[in-house]
Amino acid sequence: MSASQDDIESFQEKHNPNSDAHLPRSVPSLGKRSDWRLKSFVTLALTILTSSQAILIVWSKRAGKYDYSVTTANFSVEALKCAFSLAALVRIWKKDGVTEDNKLSMSFDEVNVYPIPAALYLIKNLLQYYIFAYVDAPAYQILKNLNIISTGVLYRIILKKKLSEIQWAAFILLCAGCTTAQLNPSSDHVLQTPFPGWMMAIVMALLSGFAGVYTEAIIKKHPSRNINVQNFWLYVFGMIFNLIAICVQDYDAVMNKGFFHGYSFITVCMVFNHALSGIAVSMVMKYADNIVKVYSTSVAMLLTAVVSVFLFSFHLSLAFFLGSTIVSVSIYLHSIGKPPR
Amino acid sequence: MSASQDDIESFQEKHNPNSDAHLPRSVPSLGKRSDWRLKSFVTLALTILTSSQAILIVWSKRAGKYDYSVTTANFSVEALKCAFSLAALVRIWKKDGVTEDNKLSMSFDEVNVYPIPAALYLIKNLLQYYIFAYVDAPAYQILKNLNIISTGVLYRIILKKKLSEIQWAAFILLCAGCTTAQLNPSSDHVLQTPFPGWMMAIVMALLSGFAGVYTEAIIKKHPSRNINVQNFWLYVFGMIFNLIAICVQDYDAVMNKGFFHGYSFITVCMVFNHALSGIAVSMVMKYADNIVKVYSTSVAMLLTAVVSVFLFSFHLSLAFFLGSTIVSVSIYLHSIGKPPR
């Protein structure tokens, strides 16, 4: 279930083509209440999509069908999101005509930052192949919780948004709680991680956090710009950089076996699910922020474990109960600890 | 190391005969600053004594010298504390003469509540023998963290003191953090605890919490009364109820082998240490409160583990690091979350 969170990150940012297609347009005139409802809706969507995604991954692994190329799947997701964005834009153009905010073309000054998040994810994903020389997969899952801290720190530094003291405490607790929930008898391995492993884990966390925060900065810099246009450009560069990843990692396999080798019904479901949750992430970036995204994916991780109890008769550990309690308290503290405006 | 916390609880309340002997007298005239220093001093003393106590227990177990009767040791601790209180009182009488606040005799109305904490601990300690039919020792250590929650709830209900929302959150975190720090691969047993085991654990937590809170109520009801007088009466009843425990549990052993059978140098150190930390608990009750006591003993638990790394080459687990982080955040939140006056 935890493999998913990493996959999600490698699929950058997104948009929802149907139900929400004309939301961005009306956002500036929305009241506080609608704002709050939209924020809640996209957060809930992200949480549900992320956890169902993780469940699909567990399911596909259990069915023994995990022999497709991850890089081609990543590319397919980017392409699908791009198609969704275009479809949504066509609908909007038909309804409202082409305006300054929903036209596809952008000035070079605006578009030149769009490749950065995709490039950061590419570097992070390439690093991932090297870190496994130092840590095993379960230890890597534990180390990935450093993302939470890096996102918080970069959110503060780059977006210059303030978290209150209580919210900082809550964020440390979120990290500790997620890690606690994932503890298992072999987790102590992680403490023996050699120095280069720690360094790489920290660099990867910084890359991932930076990509997320940078995406938010790009999307929020032009609040009136239609989210589908912003997504279109993010996903175009996502496609390009994932193409590079295919060439670096899977060129031979794709040439010999074909692009869609090993794809099953579950794989297609996963690609669609990833595309939709990618769009949900974009929506959260537009209408909420990275902090909400981190909370949302953390809750999704817990939700996945609970659902897995029923679907795959997993057992919940005491560590999971403790971790969930700590994450719940963290969410509560985050909500009551709003900084004074 | 964890056996100690339970032992501590069975040794009720206390006082320091030398350095602090004339503090109570001067308390009413102390300023805010001295108040804070006194509070810090007794809290620090309690933390250090509690953790050194735990280390002595580990040490005595490692040396294989744990075959003395626990009930006679408990009785010795009560007797020693009683002697300390009397010695301190004699010093005070010589210096200041006998006054209303430091005379040993009390009205029946005042003294009739003093047996209650000792009686509650006796019931709890007797229950302890039965709970092991349902849970093993490591699971019992985990379940004992329920004391933290019961103390918080009873503190609120009986002493009618308010904790802020943040402080409540901090208290839940303290419980979760302490439990996390104690997690080990076999901890999941505790989730299989049968219903009667849970009930007994909850009843024991309530008894222990109630005894602590009730002691605070007794001590604070007469703030001008010398703490040594209050301690004397608490310890007299502690001796009586521990005598009952000896009769119930160890009558034959004491009659056949003698009262001090199996006592070693370490045992004597432990008895002295327990007596001193018992007195520190009393001081914390007088000058701080049960919440401070719970935080103090929780930090002592963590401190013990760290010291054990050096003394007994124990290994610290990832769970311990996470638990310590959560407890640290909890302490921070408790301190910034003071309710408005």
Side-chain angles (χ1 to χ4, degrees), chain A residues 165-166 188 317-318 326 332, chain B residues 165-166 188 317-318 326 332:
Chain A
E165 289 170 337
I166 292 169
D188 278 1
S317 64
L318 177 58
I326 295 158
Y332 171 73
Chain B
E165 288 169 340
I166 293 170
D188 278 0
S317 65
L318 177 59
I326 295 158
Y332 172 73

Side-chain angles (χ1 to χ4, degrees), chain B residues 95-310:
Chain B
K95 208 173 162 221
D96 305 325
V98 179
T99 68
E100 182 60 30
D101 284 338
N102 71 24
K103 69 179 169 109
L104 209 52
S105 63
M106 266 183 195
S107 69
F108 179 76
D109 272 358
E110 194 178 339
V111 91
N112 69 356
V113 288
Y114 277 71
I116 293 173
L120 291 171
Y121 280 117
L122 176 70
I123 300 170
K124 198 204 114 209
N125 288 341
L126 293 177
L127 261 182
Q128 196 168 308
Y129 279 72
Y130 295 101
I131 198 172
F132 285 111
Y134 301 102
V135 298
D136 57 5
Y140 178 62
Q141 287 307 120
I142 298 276
L143 287 173
K144 258 178 27 193
N145 291 308
L146 289 171
N147 284 358
I148 297 176
I149 300 296
S150 70
T151 301
V153 171
L154 293 169
Y155 176 83
R156 172 72 190 87
I157 295 174
I158 296 176
L159 297 179
K160 296 193 176 58
K161 287 194 193 170
K162 281 201 177 165
L163 292 175
S164 68
E165 288 169 340
I166 293 170
Q167 287 182 320
W168 275 114
F171 224 58
I172 294 169
L173 290 171
L174 180 67
C175 181
C178 286
T179 312
T180 301
Q182 295 174 328
L183 281 181
N184 61 59
S186 69
S187 301
D188 278 0
H189 281 325
V190 81
L191 296 177
Q192 272 91 52
T193 303
F195 184 74
W198 278 109
M199 282 299 102
M200 287 173 83
I202 290 168
V203 168
M204 284 171 70
L206 286 173
L207 285 170
S208 166
F210 191 69
V213 168
Y214 203 86
T215 304
E216 185 179 336
I218 290 173
I219 290 179
K220 289 208 172 127
K221 199 178 178 190
H222 299 274
S224 67
R225 172 91 60 228
N226 191 291
I227 180 76
N228 297 300
V229 176
Q230 296 178 313
N231 281 344
F232 174 83
W233 286 104
L234 283 170
Y235 303 150
V236 162
F237 290 109
M239 283 168 70
I240 295 171
F241 281 99
N242 274 295
L243 210 57
I244 297 174
I246 294 175
C247 295
V248 172
Q249 287 171 5
D250 288 323
Y251 184 79
D252 288 344
V254 169
M255 282 298 143
N256 295 331
K257 298 186 193 167
F259 194 89
F260 292 110
H261 173 82
Y263 277 54
S264 65
F265 176 66
I266 295 180
T267 316
V268 175
C269 288
M270 282 167 68
V271 167
F272 267 87
N273 192 314
H274 269 114
L276 288 177
S277 57
I279 287 161
V281 170
S282 244
M283 289 289 178
V284 168
M285 298 291 189
K286 181 104 183 171
Y287 305 114
D289 53 43
N290 266 282
I291 304 298
V292 169
K293 183 202 157 208
V294 168
Y295 273 100
S296 170
T297 48
S298 300
V299 169
M301 186 264 287
L302 301 179
L303 212 59
T304 304
V306 173
V307 172
S308 299
V309 170
F310 299 100

